[in-house]
């Protein structure tokens, strides 16, 4: 069992993490995988008094996390930091020409990890982004997204952090049901998609088998 009594688990990322949280309420977890994961862990381990924080913000890219990392991570003193970022770094390239190269993405992501390791005694969980072909033009996004996914996988290996391999898991799930069943626009998960993320996150950290 990976958690200790009174652990503080921070979910950090973009809209997939944010998912309707009330920004005026620091305790709000939204209605997506962050809430589902916290509910499941609270049920499984009531004796541990785990605390959960959601600081996902819709539309964020890796540069946005970099700018707000002190306030929305380090100052919160979490003992677990789950980072789920990257799809908007690809999306902004295709819809508005704002490019984040794989090298830039790696440098900023590595900076977040190094700052966290330097300032906190926290465990890291890295969540890779995914994209499904809904609509068909999403297939072209792989040219930009795949190198970023590989960056996250390499960073997880380098720093010994659990990796939640969502891209492959969503692709496999799309064999069982059409891609839109899991993510209505290829990016934003449905309720079933959020449940998939929750299950993958819990299995990755060893909370369930």
């Amino acid at each position: 069992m990976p958690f200790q009594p009174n652990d503080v688990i921070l979910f950090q990322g973009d809209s997939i993490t944010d998912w309707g949280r009330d920004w005026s309420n620091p305790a709000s977890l939204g209605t997506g995988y962050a809430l589902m994961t916290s509910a499941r862990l609270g049920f499984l381990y009531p004796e541990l008094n785990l605390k959960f924080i959601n600081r996902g913000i819709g539309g964020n890219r890796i540069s946005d996390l970099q700018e707000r990392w002190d306030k929305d991570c380090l100052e919160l003193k979490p003992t677990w930091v789950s980072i789920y970022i990257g799809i908007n770094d690809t999306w902004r390239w295709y819809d508005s020409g704002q490019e984040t190269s794989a090298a830039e993405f790696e440098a900023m992501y590595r900076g977040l990890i190094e700052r966290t390791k330097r300032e906190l005694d926290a465990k890291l969980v890295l969540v890779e982004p995914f994209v499904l072909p809904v609509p068909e033009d999403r297939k072209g996004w792989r040219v930009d997204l795949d190198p970023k996914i590989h960056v996250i996988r390499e960073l997880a290996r380098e720093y010994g952090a659990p990796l939640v391999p969502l891209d492959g898991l969503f692709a496999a799930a799309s064999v069982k049901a059409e891609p839109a069943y899991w993510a209505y626009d290829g990016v934003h998960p449905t309720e079933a998609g959020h449940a998939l993320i929750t299950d993958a996150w819990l299995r990755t950290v060893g909370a369930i088998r």
Side-chain angles (χ1 to χ4, degrees):
M1 199 282 298
F3 301 103
Q4 299 298 315
N6 303 308
D7 267 350
V8 178
I9 301 164
L10 170 65
F11 298 102
Q12 187 56 266
D14 52 35
S15 62
I16 300 172
T17 301
D18 181 339
W19 214 254
R21 73 179 178 91
D22 179 359
W23 293 5
S24 68
N25 177 5
S28 175
L29 295 173
T31 59
Y33 82 88
L35 177 66
M36 292 181 181
T37 303
S38 65
R40 183 69 173 158
L41 288 175
F43 169 72
L44 290 172
Y45 305 114
E47 72 281 3
L48 294 182
N49 189 39
L50 301 175
K51 180 182 178 182
F52 305 93
I53 304 173
N54 184 349
R55 288 297 182 271
I57 294 181
N60 268 195
R61 297 181 291 167
I62 190 70
S63 58
D64 298 300
L65 290 194
Q66 188 180 50
E67 290 176 3
R68 61 186 181 86
W69 204 245
D70 286 344
K71 175 175 67 73
D72 284 346
C73 178
L74 303 181
E75 292 178 9
L76 300 174
K77 305 295 184 185
T79 53
W80 287 76
V81 179
S82 176
I83 306 174
Y84 185 177
I85 199 73
I87 191 60
N88 288 317
D89 292 272
T90 289
W91 202 335
R92 294 295 81 78
W93 169 239
Y94 286 99
D95 72 359
S96 58
Q98 300 178 51
E99 182 179 10
T100 304
S101 71
E104 292 169 330
F105 185 79
E106 179 178 359
M108 287 185 277
Y109 208 127
R110 185 183 299 278
L112 296 183
I113 292 173
E114 288 290 343
R115 287 165 65 187
T116 304
K117 291 177 68 67
R118 186 167 58 246
E119 306 255 348
L120 301 175
D121 182 22
K123 297 179 176 66
L124 293 166
V125 181
L126 307 189
V127 185
E128 67 181 37
F130 73 92
V131 68
L132 294 175
V134 186
E136 283 288 314
D137 67 0
R138 298 285 193 262
K139 289 181 179 179
W141 290 19
R142 303 226 65 99
V143 173
D144 187 82
L145 184 63
D146 283 357
K148 294 177 172 64
I149 291 173
H150 288 299
V151 162
I152 295 169
R153 292 174 180 174
E154 288 297 323
L155 289 173
R157 183 179 297 111
E158 178 179 342
Y159 288 97
L163 173 74
V164 186
L166 290 189
D167 193 53
L169 292 175
F170 270 93
S174 294
V175 175
K176 300 177 182 178
E178 62 181 358
Y181 179 85
W182 304 103
Y184 60 85
D185 62 355
V187 171
H188 294 99
T190 60
E191 290 181 358
H194 276 283
L196 187 160
I197 297 170
T198 299
D199 184 78
W201 198 98
L202 292 170
R203 291 182 188 280
T204 296
V205 303
I208 63 172
R209 294 184 179 181

